[in-house]
Amino acid sequence: MGAQKKRAAAAAAAARVSEDPDDLARQPLQAILLADSFTTKFRPITLERPKVLLPLVNVPMINYTLAWLEAAGVAEVFVFCCAHSKQVIDYLENSEWFSQPNFTVKTIESHNIISAGDALRLIYEQNVIHGDFVLISGDTVSNMSLTQALQEHKERKKKDNNAVMTMIIKKSKPSPITRQSRLGTDELFMAIDPNTKQLLYYEDKADHSKGTICLDKMLLAENPSISLHNDKQDCYIDICSPEVLSLFTDNFDYQHLRRHFVKGLLLDDIMGYKIFTHEIHSSYAARIDNYRSYDIVSKDIIQRWTYPYVPDVKFCGNRATKLERRGICFTAFNSEIEQSRSAQVGSFTVIGYGTKIGSNSKISDSVIGEGCTIGSNVLIEGSYIWDNVIIEDGCELRHVIVCDGVIMKAGAVLKPGVVLSFKVVIGERFVVPAYSKVSLLQQPTVHDSDEELEYADNSSGTVEFSSIQGTADQSNGEMTSESSEAHKPKLGTGGVGYIWSICEGGQEEEWRHSVAPIPEDKLTELSEAMDDDQELVTQDRTALSTSGELISDSNASEGDDNEDSKDDSVYFEKEVEATFLRAVEENVKVDHVILEVNSLRLSYNMTSADCAGAVFYSMMKLAIKTPHSSASELQQNTANIITTWQKLLKSYLLEIDEEIEIILKFEEMCLESAKEFSPLFARILHILYDKDILQEDAILRWADEKEGADESDKVFVRQSEKFIQWLREASEEED
Amino acid sequence: MNTDDSSWWPMGDGVLCNAASQTYPSCNTFTHALSFFNKIEGSQATARQTAELLRSVISQQRVPYTNQAGALIDAVKAIGEQLIAANPVELAVGNIVRRVLHIIREEDLSLTTAAIGGLNLSAVSDDENDDDRDGDSTLSAAAVAAAARSTLRPPSLQTLLEDTPVSAAVPQTSSSGGDSEGKSKFSFTAADKSSRSRKLKHDVIEAVNELIQDIVTCHEQIAEQAVEHIHQNEVILTLGSSRTVLEFLFAAKEKKRSFRVFVAEGAPRYQGHLLAKELVARGLQTTLITDSAVFAMISRVNMVIVGAHAVMANGGVIAPVGMNLVALAAQKHAVPFVVLAGSHKLCPLYPHNPEVLLNELRSPSELLDFGEFSDCMDFGSGSGSPLLHVVNPAFDYVPPKLVSLFITDAGGHNPSYMYRLIADYYSADDLVVQRRATAGN
């Protein structure tokens, strides 16, 4: 009884200590933490352990998120677990998070959820969210203060009931060369009203090959000012009103938070829901979305941008380490490591408890977990080594991730970008090729990986792997990731594990998201490509800005780079062709077809010359596709089609330039795509003249232009020489 | 002492720590409150909170009949260890824990001597012949409780000079705290147990209250001395912002001294700006300068007055970053460099002690804007290691030879005198706050 009394007194004391007038005034803030990213970017590691429990500078990621939520004044957190939910719940139960005063952590578990949208719908059904809440995923690291953002959100909400969400953004310049942010995500375009901070446009999958983005012109009409940013980073921290959950329930097809929900809300002007942004300046926030951001955020943590969530400050779930000065910079050290005298541990390195480092080993810019054994003459650079890893003498690791329990036999080498999943064994002197992922589990079939899930049945988790001894040294360095070979564990003598073949996007894109820095040659390659692009852009601009006379010039040169560069016009042509074919099949009225082509022309920003070219191209294509046995039959078909659709064609032939465009187009077709026409060139030209589609001026000017061209270009001019001759004489007669 | 104690301790040490952590769920909260996240600004507030927490720990601690002091010390150490670990940079926490431990030891000693005195008195009253002893015992009976603090602490210069007879009379008690156990066994027979235990706890809490009072009033006590140091028409230079310095300057101003203050802004937190604002609000002539202008301005300055983060046992000062620069400039121009520090900032450790976390590296975002420099920190290209490093240490170490004078609530002191002052406040046994479970046996 006495003890009880004491406990009560102690609790009272606790209440007194933490009493804070601010806390009492506002209602408790809730948060939803998605402990599942619903992606497969961290495979194969996430087949065995959920992403939120992966160590980030020796602390499971979810601790950073929870510690921040607690410090930011959140009172209740709902942790939504899906893949490996048992592991997450077990971890949380054994951690200190369940015993914090003034901070409640509750878990919600579900197994048949495949997206964030589903998760939020489920939470809505449970009816646990009562007010504004913070929506965050369990892989976010931040040290920002929510107070201001929350206050702004509440004030906006008071004025305008439709302001349902405040999105946290942060300035971060994307690389001009790779077109991706420093966190390895695609360049993000946002249009924000500079006064109200309302988000008007959000595009993270912009097509860079075009070099343009499309804004709805209504945006410009409705808003007095818009600022368009490409240097903002989405922190994936959202302050939401409870309506957000019901919105997800109403729109059952919303799956992805950004791709569906945000974009859906921005496009939907019926309900008029608005999203606002809050930019943070001095504080830090970032989400770990892929291996590159894992690397970058780890380095930010070691460089203390996330202060106070840094290795040498104790927050829940970590053991404080000590900083030691190495040269100019600092290294976080634990007191209980065994380090050989001749080992060199460089700056910005974190080494966990009970790790042993042998003589003459060099470690720099790396994170090493607890209980690792590192032999002598080992080189570790920019790598992330988790707990209980054994690295034998003479291994080399550069920019890799090595999970728990991996054994690297003597002399093994990991090239940049390698990921070794749990308990893999790399054989002696084996060289793992760059960007490969090695796991004890076999790679799931392509069908599986298409699903947006990091979901693996725990029961089937122990795929029986036979420790087949890979044929050693022969395969050294020559490992190709062809699927047939990939499933054989070729990891050197005594190696255990499978090298995954690189799927989706292939090797090409692998360097974008890996832990390794982008190789030099890739960068130069990209910057060269970019220079070309820029030239093209300037070329296009001159073409647009110059007046009619010059168009023919640029058209003449277009023949060369049309195919590879001007995707737009290719798309446009395809669209026009599709429209035309449909019109032919369904007997649509000519007027309607004109209308449709006109709208296409507007949306692709084309001139009427382009339209004429495209329409003519489609007609000719149709003619050639119509079954025919001889050239004369083809000619007949063409004549028929031209007769039927001459009105359509004529509506674009406003001036003589368009007519010349048609001739040039035809010439091009004859040379490239439809060689069957080439013998008929002169005759079809005649037909076109007969039908009043082409005027004689156009044909003559075309002929004049070709006068100075190469011999090869003159083929058709010579073919239709007689016709042209006739035309010239006719005009002279008229005079 | 350790082994002796565990034989007297009914439960054993392992149980003790469990008991301690169970009995004080509030500790966890407080550990949190003290740690970085709900950061209490300023060492004064931290010190006060620590003292208040320890007071509640003591008042809740169930004291066994034997060796109460040991029980209290163990409890305080258990909590203290956690508190220090929660915020190793804030040395004031450790200082207060050690002072509370010292208080417990002292009170125990004074009670013991009182008991011995009582015994002596009764013994003497039987004899009634030895004048010398009689005088001695009357002194202990009447004055020991009050004078315990001065009589029983390890002999400081003052006590040696003032109270020679008393310290001579009880040499065995002042020798070491380890004897307390033997004496408590002795007092077992002599004194009423329950009343004594209550008395010890009561005395300790009283003393801790005094300590809290001292912490609360330290600014005023330091500020009282302001007029002795700041003279008419002087120019004072300070760096950054310190509440102690602020109060000190105000006190001089209130005494109608007219003087000017140069404030170095204290990059990167620029707390000097706040100080300048407050000084101007009180009508002081203030000049704000950059940190880098200190050397240029120092020749016009009559005195440098700064605050400290902590004062180490050797008289060295841990102070906001940039302070060493100011101290060197002051030395170059023979300008007095005065450090103000409340007694809770006196740390019994030496700066070379591995336990002392000399510095705290703060977030680089105080120096530069992450967004503007984000392209410099793209590790995605090149060698993968960033070329730009930003280091933002919070503190500087100023060696004792650069300090002219310390002003604490106990008066002005030379740097070389600090270790004596510290010996008055702390017991040598507590320098390493670690529980017996790990230290002994």
Side-chain angles (χ1 to χ4, degrees):
Chain A
M1 207 183 86
Q4 263 181 354
K5 251 186 206 165
K6 260 176 213 160
R7 218 162 283 164
R16 198 173 58 235
V17 166
S18 63
E19 220 165 75
D20 187 358
D22 285 341
D23 279 339
L24 294 174
R26 62 179 129 105
Q27 70 181 95
L29 182 63
Q30 293 177 308
I32 296 177
L33 190 153
L34 301 174
D36 193 335
S37 59
F38 304 106
T39 58
T40 56
K41 292 207 173 116
F42 269 83
R43 279 190 175 190
I45 301 175
T46 47
L47 286 182
E48 288 165 75
R49 194 187 279 185
K51 184 173 159 195
V52 292
L53 295 187
L54 304 185
L56 184 69
V57 195
N58 293 341
V59 180
M61 284 184 201
I62 196 168
N63 281 331
Y64 288 94
T65 318
L66 286 172
W68 170 70
L69 285 173
E70 193 202 4
V74 173
E76 193 174 21
V77 178
F78 294 96
V79 178
F80 187 87
C81 318
C82 180
H84 304 291
S85 54
K86 197 164 178 310
Q87 279 189 46
V88 178
I89 292 169
D90 282 353
Y91 176 79
L92 288 175
E93 272 169 359
N94 293 325
S95 71
E96 297 167 39
W97 292 114
F98 276 177
S99 57
Q100 295 294 321
N102 309 323
F103 185 66
T104 332
V105 178
K106 288 179 183 155
T107 52
I108 298 175
E109 190 180 357
S110 174
H111 293 288
N112 47 6
I113 296 289
I114 53 156
S115 73
D118 288 344
L120 292 180
R121 281 185 276 275
L122 189 88
I123 292 169
Y124 180 70
E125 281 165 23
Q126 299 206 343
N127 202 20
V128 285
I129 299 291
H130 309 297
D132 289 345
F133 64 96
V134 180
L135 180 57
I136 190 174
S137 111
D139 45 14
T140 310
V141 178
S142 175
N143 62 357
M144 69 172 282
S145 156
L146 272 182
T147 330
Q148 209 199 339
L150 205 64
Q151 203 179 343
E152 280 176 17
H153 177 79
K154 288 207 162 127
E155 271 164 22
R156 267 198 296 264
K157 183 83 206 230
K158 242 180 251 168
K159 281 187 220 144
D160 182 355
N161 213 30
N162 282 335
V164 288
M165 188 162 120
T166 302
M167 192 188 266
I168 309 294
I169 56 171
K170 179 165 179 59
K171 187 170 177 183
S172 170
K173 296 175 192 165
S175 158
I177 300 171
T178 53
R179 293 275 175 195
Q180 64 179 10
S181 70
R182 60 195 290 275
L183 293 175
T185 49
D186 292 327
E187 193 174 7
L188 172 68
F189 291 97
M190 279 183 174
I192 297 169
D193 186 324
N195 298 320
T196 62
K197 305 285 175 220
Q198 190 186 343
L199 180 70
L200 302 169
Y201 175 79
Y202 184 99
E203 182 58 67
D204 53 351
K205 295 265 180 263
D207 189 357
H208 298 300
S209 54
K210 268 196 277 180
T212 55
I213 56 164
C214 298
L215 285 178
D216 189 352
K217 67 175 180 226
M218 289 307 285
L219 281 183
L220 294 167
E222 282 167 3
N223 298 286
S225 56
I226 281 185
S227 52
L228 186 64
H229 300 276
N230 74 336
D231 61 347
K232 300 286 184 236
Q233 167 203 331
D234 185 351
C235 302
Y236 294 94
I237 298 171
D238 302 322
I239 301 167
C240 304
S241 302
E243 287 91 336
V244 169
L245 289 180
S246 57
L247 272 173
F248 266 99
T249 316
D250 295 345
N251 300 283
F252 52 85
D253 55 335
Y254 283 174
Q255 303 289 346
H256 192 270
L257 281 182
R258 294 289 184 256
R259 224 176 294 150
H260 299 123
F261 177 69
V262 169
K263 286 184 184 171
L265 235 53
L266 291 175
L267 288 177
D268 178 19
D269 39 1
I270 301 164
M271 302 300 285
Y273 285 115
K274 290 171 191 160
I275 298 174
F276 289 84
T277 57
H278 174 81
E279 187 173 354
I280 50 173
H281 296 279
S282 60
S283 37
Y284 184 88
R287 182 177 170 208
I288 295 158
D289 184 52
N290 49 43
Y291 286 121
R292 176 164 312 285
S293 45
Y294 179 85
D295 172 52
I296 302 268
V297 173
S298 296
K299 280 177 176 151
D300 286 343
I301 291 172
I302 297 170
Q303 295 222 36
R304 310 180 77 80
W305 287 100
T306 58
Y307 184 92
Y309 309 106
V310 288
D312 61 314
V313 177
K314 189 178 151 72
F315 59 97
C316 266
N318 76 340
R319 292 197 254 181
T321 54
K322 269 205 165 176
L323 286 187
E324 257 181 48
R325 220 163 109 180
R326 297 278 159 147
I328 314 164
C329 301
F330 293 83
T331 301
F333 254 102
N334 283 302
S335 41
E336 292 155 33
I337 66 166
E338 283 178 41
Q339 185 193 346
S340 155
R341 276 175 185 281
S342 54
Q344 298 176 20
V345 178
S347 56
F348 291 111
T349 300
V350 176
I351 297 177
Y353 277 83
T355 288
K356 294 174 194 155
I357 303 170
S359 52
N360 289 321
S361 290
K362 287 181 189 170
I363 301 174
S364 62
D365 295 309
S366 301
V367 176
I368 294 173
E370 295 176 9
C372 295
T373 310
I374 294 166
S376 44
N377 297 314
V378 173
L379 180 79
I380 300 176
E381 215 179 270
S383 300
Y384 300 90
I385 292 162
W386 297 358
D387 300 344
N388 303 317
V389 173
I390 298 171
I391 298 173
E392 293 181 359
D393 298 354
C395 290
E396 277 184 35
L397 297 86
R398 285 195 177 86
H399 307 289
V400 296
I401 294 179
V402 177
C403 297
D404 292 3
V406 168
I407 298 171
M408 284 182 67
K409 297 274 170 69
V413 175
L414 301 185
K415 293 278 184 191
V418 168
V419 174
L420 299 186
S421 191
F422 298 92
K423 293 185 179 134
V424 163
V425 181
I426 303 292
E428 238 172 74
R429 286 195 295 282
F430 185 75
V431 180
V432 183
Y435 303 120
S436 44
K437 300 187 171 66
V438 185
S439 170
L440 286 189
L441 304 181
Q442 281 201 2
Q443 187 165 22
T445 52
V446 181
H447 172 71
D448 258 21
S449 56
D450 272 345
E451 283 175 42
E452 292 221 327
L453 253 184
E454 56 175 41
Y455 194 79
D457 278 305
N458 281 341
S459 53
S460 73
T462 49
V463 173
E464 62 281 13
F465 51 87
S466 46
S467 54
I468 306 166
Q469 304 249 319
T471 42
D473 306 317
Q474 303 155 0
S475 59
N476 267 5
E478 302 170 341
M479 276 301 301
T480 47
S481 45
E482 282 152 21
S483 55
S484 56
E485 285 182 58
H487 293 293
K488 290 182 209 154
K490 282 193 175 176
L491 291 168
T493 326
V496 180
Y498 298 95
I499 295 187
W500 282 28
S501 66
I502 291 153
C503 54
E504 292 163 51
Q507 183 100 34
E508 254 327 286
E509 293 299 303
E510 203 59 40
W511 52 267
R512 279 187 183 272
H513 305 302
S514 94
V515 275
I518 299 165
E520 283 295 330
D521 50 328
K522 267 290 187 260
L523 282 178
T524 43
E525 194 181 297
L526 277 171
S527 56
E528 274 164 17
M530 195 180 54
D531 290 346
D532 291 352
D533 274 0
Q534 266 174 352
E535 274 165 31
L536 273 178
V537 168
T538 46
Q539 220 173 54
D540 284 359
R541 265 190 213 130
T542 52
L544 282 177
S545 60
T546 46
S547 52
E549 283 92 352
L550 278 175
I551 284 182
S552 49
D553 278 352
S554 60
N555 278 351
S557 68
E558 229 167 53
D560 310 323
D561 51 14
N562 211 1
E563 292 302 309
D564 45 17
S565 68
K566 293 196 97 190
D567 288 347
D568 237 16
S569 52
V570 173
Y571 284 130
F572 175 67
E573 264 175 20
K574 278 187 184 151
E575 289 281 330
V576 170
E577 194 187 335
T579 315
F580 180 73
L581 287 178
R582 206 185 55 221
V584 173
E585 270 170 35
E586 295 172 11
N587 265 331
V588 182
K589 275 188 192 160
V590 175
D591 289 341
H592 292 183
V593 181
I594 292 173
L595 204 66
E596 277 190 45
V597 174
N598 273 342
S599 68
L600 280 173
R601 180 188 134 195
L602 284 177
S603 67
Y604 281 89
N605 195 17
M606 291 292 169
T607 59
S608 60
D610 292 321
C611 289
V615 169
F616 180 73
Y617 177 79
S618 334
M619 286 162 70
M620 288 299 153
K621 261 265 178 90
L622 178 66
I624 213 166
K625 272 184 194 156
T626 329
H628 55 267
S629 50
S630 65
S632 58
E633 208 171 315
L634 178 63
Q635 187 191 346
Q636 191 54 43
N637 283 342
T638 318
N640 286 344
I641 288 167
I642 290 173
T643 327
T644 328
W645 297 99
Q646 55 179 311
K647 193 181 169 201
L648 172 64
L649 200 51
K650 269 185 196 158
S651 64
Y652 295 104
L653 301 176
L654 308 172
E655 282 186 52
I656 211 152
D657 292 325
E658 279 92 23
E659 292 172 23
I660 295 173
E661 166 75 21
I662 283 193
I663 305 176
L664 289 169
K665 190 89 201 172
F666 188 38
E667 199 180 10
E668 189 192 315
M669 278 183 81
C670 291
L671 278 172
E672 287 161 17
S673 52
K675 293 218 169 82
E676 280 182 79
F677 276 122
S678 42
L680 299 174
F681 185 84
R683 288 185 212 173
I684 291 173
L685 204 62
H686 196 174
I687 296 172
L688 289 170
Y689 176 75
D690 276 353
K691 299 287 175 196
D692 275 346
I693 289 169
L694 296 181
Q695 291 167 28
E696 55 188 54
D697 277 0
I699 298 171
L700 290 178
R701 259 177 73 175
W702 167 69
D704 289 347
E705 258 169 39
K706 286 284 169 182
E707 213 52 30
D710 293 341
E711 277 307 299
S712 58
D713 269 2
K714 281 199 199 162
V715 182
F716 297 108
V717 181
R718 230 170 289 135
Q719 196 188 350
S720 41
E721 212 162 337
K722 272 187 191 164
F723 177 54
I724 293 165
Q725 194 62 35
W726 177 77
L727 279 178
R728 275 186 220 262
E729 279 164 11
S731 62
E732 271 163 24
E733 268 172 30
E734 262 172 43
D735 290 344
Chain B
M1 169 177 177
N2 297 342
T3 41
D4 284 357
D5 259 358
S6 50
S7 67
W8 279 96
W9 182 247
M11 288 194 277
D13 292 322
V15 189
L16 168 72
C17 30
N18 289 342
S21 49
Q22 271 169 16
T23 329
Y24 311 111
S26 65
C27 171
N28 215 348
T29 329
F30 189 76
T31 317
H32 246 79
L34 276 183
S35 66
F36 279 90
F37 308 111
N38 313 2
K39 186 154 186 166
I40 305 164
E41 266 303 323
S43 10
Q44 194 208 10
T46 322
R48 191 179 153 188
Q49 289 248 33
T50 314
E52 280 169 0
L53 176 94
L54 292 177
R55 183 178 61 187
S56 70
V57 166
I58 292 164
S59 67
Q60 284 161 37
Q61 175 69 22
R62 201 176 350 173
V63 204
Y65 292 125
T66 58
N67 190 20
Q68 303 124 4
L72 284 182
I73 285 171
D74 271 343
V76 169
K77 274 192 175 178
I79 302 293
E81 207 182 341
Q82 290 183 43
L83 291 178
I84 293 168
N87 191 349
V89 175
E90 186 54 270
L91 294 166
V93 177
N95 298 346
I96 295 303
V97 171
R98 291 185 183 98
R99 282 188 70 169
V100 170
L101 289 174
H102 183 58
I103 285 170
I104 298 170
R105 288 180 203 281
E106 272 185 345
E107 295 298 336
D108 185 43
L109 273 179
S110 79
L111 278 177
T112 312
T113 32
I116 297 167
L119 277 181
N120 283 351
L121 192 61
S122 55
V124 168
S125 58
D126 287 344
D127 292 340
E128 277 185 75
N129 52 7
D130 196 344
D131 276 338
D132 206 321
R133 289 191 78 180
D134 200 356
D136 195 347
S137 56
T138 14
L139 186 124
S140 13
V144 154
R149 299 188 59 169
S150 55
T151 53
L152 293 171
R153 75 172 51 124
S156 78
L157 193 62
Q158 247 174 334
T159 47
L160 284 176
L161 291 173
E162 286 168 9
D163 302 312
T164 4
V166 178
S167 51
V170 278
Q172 76 274 33
T173 47
S174 60
S175 64
S176 121
D179 298 19
S180 67
E181 177 266 318
K183 256 155 277 137
S184 53
K185 204 201 293 184
F186 185 43
S187 63
F188 205 90
T189 54
D192 177 16
K193 291 174 273 182
S194 59
S195 74
R196 215 204 133 206
S197 83
R198 223 176 290 134
K199 180 130 178 34
L200 174 69
K201 233 165 106 166
H202 178 260
D203 286 355
V204 167
I205 287 172
E206 279 294 297
V208 174
N209 279 338
E210 266 175 45
L211 172 66
I212 293 172
Q213 203 53 41
D214 279 355
I215 296 169
V216 172
T217 58
C218 78
H219 290 319
E220 288 99 88
Q221 286 184 4
I222 294 172
E224 269 173 23
Q225 308 163 47
V227 260
E228 297 166 26
H229 298 280
I230 299 177
H231 306 111
Q232 194 70 13
N233 292 329
E234 273 191 340
V235 177
I236 311 290
L237 182 127
T238 187
L239 173 90
S241 176
S242 153
R243 178 126 183 262
T244 326
V245 172
L246 192 72
E247 302 274 344
F248 194 78
L249 296 175
F250 288 167
K253 168 78 182 169
E254 268 165 28
K255 297 272 165 60
K256 307 289 179 211
R257 287 278 145 84
S258 93
F259 55 96
R260 295 175 52 175
V261 184
F262 285 0
V263 179
E265 58 184 357
R269 296 179 77 190
Y270 301 111
Q271 289 192 316
H273 298 176
L274 300 175
L275 182 75
K277 212 174 180 177
E278 293 208 39
L279 289 175
V280 168
R282 300 279 185 106
L284 269 164
Q285 183 71 45
T286 309
T287 310
L288 188 70
I289 58 171
T290 58
D291 295 350
S292 40
V294 163
F295 200 89
M297 305 297 270
I298 199 85
S299 55
R300 298 195 224 165
V301 171
N302 297 92
M303 194 197 297
V304 179
I305 300 180
V306 293
H309 173 69
V311 178
M312 309 310 286
N314 66 344
V317 182
I318 295 177
V321 70
M323 203 62 93
N324 202 10
L325 214 80
V326 178
L328 285 167
Q331 189 198 36
K332 177 91 182 167
H333 286 264
V335 177
F337 185 83
V338 177
V339 176
L340 310 183
S343 60
H344 59 270
K345 288 184 178 173
L346 301 185
C347 182
L349 303 173
Y350 285 84
H352 58 257
N353 195 311
E355 268 184 67
V356 179
L357 205 55
L358 267 180
N359 224 329
E360 181 192 1
L361 291 175
R362 298 180 61 89
S363 167
S365 62
E366 285 174 357
L367 266 72
L368 45 83
D369 182 40
F370 184 85
E372 280 304 318
F373 284 82
S374 59
D375 41 353
C376 301
M377 281 165 301
D378 190 355
F379 318 124
S381 47
S383 68
S385 64
L387 294 172
L388 178 68
H389 296 160
V390 188
V391 178
N392 179 15
F395 302 118
D396 245 1
Y397 173 67
V398 181
K401 63 171 184 183
L402 296 181
V403 181
S404 320
L405 185 70
F406 283 104
I407 302 178
T408 69
D409 33 4
H413 305 283
N414 208 37
S416 58
Y417 186 73
M418 292 320 281
Y419 83 100
R420 298 290 327 181
L421 205 60
I422 279 162
D424 283 355
Y425 286 123
Y426 301 97
S427 146
D429 297 328
D430 301 325
L431 291 190
V432 179
V433 183
Q434 247 174 356
R435 268 169 301 147
R436 291 113 197 265
T438 49
N441 302 356

